[in-house]
Amino acid sequence: GITVFIPSYSQNFSDTDSVRLSKKLTATSSLLYINSDSAFNIASDVMTEATELKISALVIRSLGTMAHISTIKGNYTQALRFDLSALDLAVSSGDSSSMFIAYNNVGDDQLETLNYDQAHDNFMGAYNIAVAINDSLGMAISTFNIGLVQKELLQLEEARENFRKSLLISNQIGDN
């Protein structure tokens, strides 16, 4: 089964370090399309410092940011490497929310590179996490993503059913 884990922040850093690095990483979003190289370097610096300070949540976010930038640049292989590293760290830390995001990100990378079986497996991993933590929006997202894979595989009835389920969940939670 899946263990739900809320990360403890009693490691080797102060709240000031965590907040400072988080703000620095958040600032990369304003640079993504203006100067993606600078955004990537900032995310890489945050990852390095967060690794040294053992702030796993920020390491995971940094890896996700670096993967996102790699995707923007069309480097899906590099994006997949960063997302797989984020997934490994999320799983080892037991952070359910980070695991959900990482499984979806890896699934997206696999879908982009036409690795449909791996994409399906990762979207199912995300779905299972969403169910375990009772995250309705996560279930809707994962179900939709599974439908995307099925559509690509021409499993049209299964895809239609997953799109229908996703829409039903979205409507139930008011995510229109």
Side-chain angles (χ1 to χ4, degrees):
I2 296 169
T3 303
V4 177
F5 174 78
I6 307 297
S8 167
Y9 292 103
S10 61
Q11 290 113 349
N12 301 330
F13 63 91
S14 69
D15 285 342
T16 305
D17 290 328
S18 180
V19 169
R20 177 180 54 80
L21 291 174
S22 183
K23 286 180 180 180
K24 193 173 178 182
L25 189 59
T26 300
T28 62
S29 63
S30 63
L31 288 173
L32 284 178
Y33 298 99
I34 299 167
N35 189 336
S36 59
D37 290 334
S38 291
F40 186 90
N41 290 337
I42 291 168
S44 180
D45 291 345
V46 169
M47 184 194 67
T48 300
E49 193 169 350
T51 300
E52 291 167 3
L53 294 169
K54 297 182 169 65
I55 310 174
S56 62
L58 279 172
V59 175
I60 294 166
R61 278 186 54 208
S62 299
L63 287 164
T65 299
M66 292 163 62
H68 182 70
I69 294 166
S70 297
T71 299
I72 290 169
K73 293 177 152 193
N75 191 338
Y76 299 107
T77 303
Q78 186 177 42
L80 179 59
R81 278 197 312 268
F82 289 130
D83 282 332
L84 285 170
S85 293
L87 178 58
D88 287 343
L89 184 55
V91 169
S92 69
S93 73
D95 180 346
S96 301
S97 178
S98 293
M99 289 186 333
F100 170 78
I101 292 167
Y103 272 118
N104 264 312
N105 289 345
V106 171
D108 285 339
D109 296 337
Q110 297 289 7
L111 189 59
E112 286 290 331
T113 57
L114 311 180
N115 293 312
Y116 299 124
D117 289 339
Q118 293 94 337
H120 182 271
D121 291 348
N122 283 287
F123 291 141
M124 281 302 300
Y127 178 80
N128 291 334
I129 297 279
V131 168
I133 63 176
N134 199 26
D135 177 358
S136 296
L137 180 59
M139 288 182 249
I141 291 168
S142 300
T143 303
F144 182 84
N145 287 339
I146 292 164
L148 289 176
V149 173
Q150 291 166 328
K151 181 180 78 87
E152 292 298 323
L153 294 172
L154 300 177
Q155 298 169 351
L156 301 180
E157 285 304 315
E158 294 91 340
R160 187 176 296 117
E161 182 60 21
N162 276 307
F163 292 147
R164 188 192 66 70
K165 284 180 188 176
S166 177
L167 183 60
L168 179 66
I169 295 168
S170 291
N171 287 337
Q172 287 173 344
I173 62 173
D175 178 49
N176 301 337

